[in-house]
Amino acid sequence: MSKYRNTITLILSAISIMVSVAALCRTYPHTSDLGMDYQGVIVGILALLVTAVIGLNIYTLVDFKRATKEVEALKRKLHTDSNTNLALGFNSAFMIYHYLSTGKSPLGLDYELIRSGLLCLKYLSETDNIEACNAIVKNIKLSMQELKTIEITKQQKEELVSLILDIKNHRLIDGFQDVVHLVSCIVPEVRHPLPCGVS
C-alpha cells in the first residue's frame, strides 16, 4: 500500500512544481529587478530533459541490439542441438536396420547398446528428470549384466567415458556409480565377461 501512496505523492509533487513554475513564468516572464530570466531557465530545463530522453533512447537501442544478438546466438545453438539429436536418433535407427539387413553391426552391438543408453541418460539428465534417469540407469545396468561378453575398441570406450562425464546431476541418480564401474571394467579389444562385481 505504501508503494501506491509514494507514487501518488510523487505525481502530485510533480504537478505542483509544474503549476508553480507556470505561475512564476506567467507573472514574471522577464524582470530586470530579479536579475533572472525565467524563460531561460525553462529553456535550460527543457534542453536537459530532451538530452536525457535522447540518451535513454540510444541506450535502449544499444541494449536491444545486444539482446537481439543473444537471441540469435541462442536460436543457432538450439538449431544445432536439435539437428545433432535428430542425427543421433537417425544414426541409431540406421545401425539397427543395418544389423537387421546384413546381420552385422559396423560399430558393434555391445557398443551401440551401451552408447544408446548413456546418450539417453545424458539428455534426460539435462532436463533434471531424475526419476526417468533412475529408470534408464537400472536398464543400462541390467542390459550390461545380461551381456555375456562385451567387445569394444579403445576409442569406443573413450567415447563412453566421455558420455559419462557429460551427465548432469549424477550424484542424484541412483545406481550411477554402478554404471561407471561397469563401463570402467570393460577392457578394449578383448571380449570381456561381465558383470564385474556389481549387483
Side-chain angles (χ1 to χ4, degrees):
M1 192 64 149
S2 63
K3 179 181 175 185
Y4 296 112
R5 192 176 307 153
N6 290 340
T7 305
I8 291 172
T9 304
L10 185 65
I11 291 171
L12 290 176
S13 298
I15 291 172
S16 65
I17 288 172
M18 286 190 297
V19 169
S20 300
V21 168
L24 280 173
C25 291
R26 181 136 173 99
T27 307
Y28 303 108
H30 179 68
T31 305
S32 58
D33 297 338
L34 295 174
M36 183 176 189
D37 186 0
Y38 284 105
Q39 291 174 341
V41 171
I42 290 173
V43 169
I45 291 172
L46 288 176
L48 181 66
L49 290 175
V50 167
T51 304
V53 168
I54 290 173
L56 183 64
N57 284 341
I58 291 171
Y59 174 76
T60 304
L61 184 63
V62 168
D63 193 48
F64 180 74
K65 285 182 180 177
R66 182 188 55 81
T68 303
K69 286 180 183 176
E70 288 177 4
V71 167
E72 287 298 321
L74 182 61
K75 188 172 152 184
R76 281 192 300 272
K77 184 181 183 313
L78 288 173
H79 182 71
T80 302
D81 288 349
S82 66
N83 281 344
T84 301
N85 290 338
L86 282 171
L88 289 172
F90 282 117
N91 181 56
S92 295
F94 168 73
M95 293 297 167
I96 291 169
Y97 287 124
H98 184 275
Y99 176 74
L100 292 174
S101 299
T102 64
K104 298 176 184 175
S105 176
L107 297 178
L109 289 177
D110 304 338
Y111 168 72
E112 282 297 321
L113 174 70
I114 299 167
R115 179 179 154 272
S116 297
L118 290 176
L119 277 170
C120 184
L121 183 60
K122 175 189 172 194
Y123 292 122
L124 276 174
S125 72
E126 291 174 359
T127 65
D128 295 328
N129 190 342
I130 302 302
E131 189 175 321
C133 289
N134 291 339
I136 295 297
V137 164
K138 184 177 177 183
N139 288 333
I140 292 172
K141 282 171 49 179
L142 186 64
S143 299
M144 287 182 73
Q145 290 170 347
E146 287 179 354
L147 292 171
K148 296 192 180 0
T149 59
I150 294 179
E151 186 175 353
I152 63 173
T153 65
K154 183 178 180 183
Q155 181 182 357
Q156 289 173 336
K157 182 172 180 180
E158 288 171 359
E159 290 173 7
L160 294 178
V161 170
S162 176
L163 278 175
I164 287 173
L165 293 174
D166 288 341
I167 293 171
K168 311 283 187 236
N169 301 316
H170 56 84
R171 290 190 179 121
L172 303 175
I173 301 171
D174 296 335
F176 179 75
Q177 292 304 322
D178 295 339
V179 171
V180 172
H181 179 69
L182 286 169
V183 171
S184 68
C185 286
I186 301 171
V187 178
E189 309 292 349
V190 175
R191 293 197 67 80
H192 184 74
L194 283 178
C196 64
V198 176
S199 57

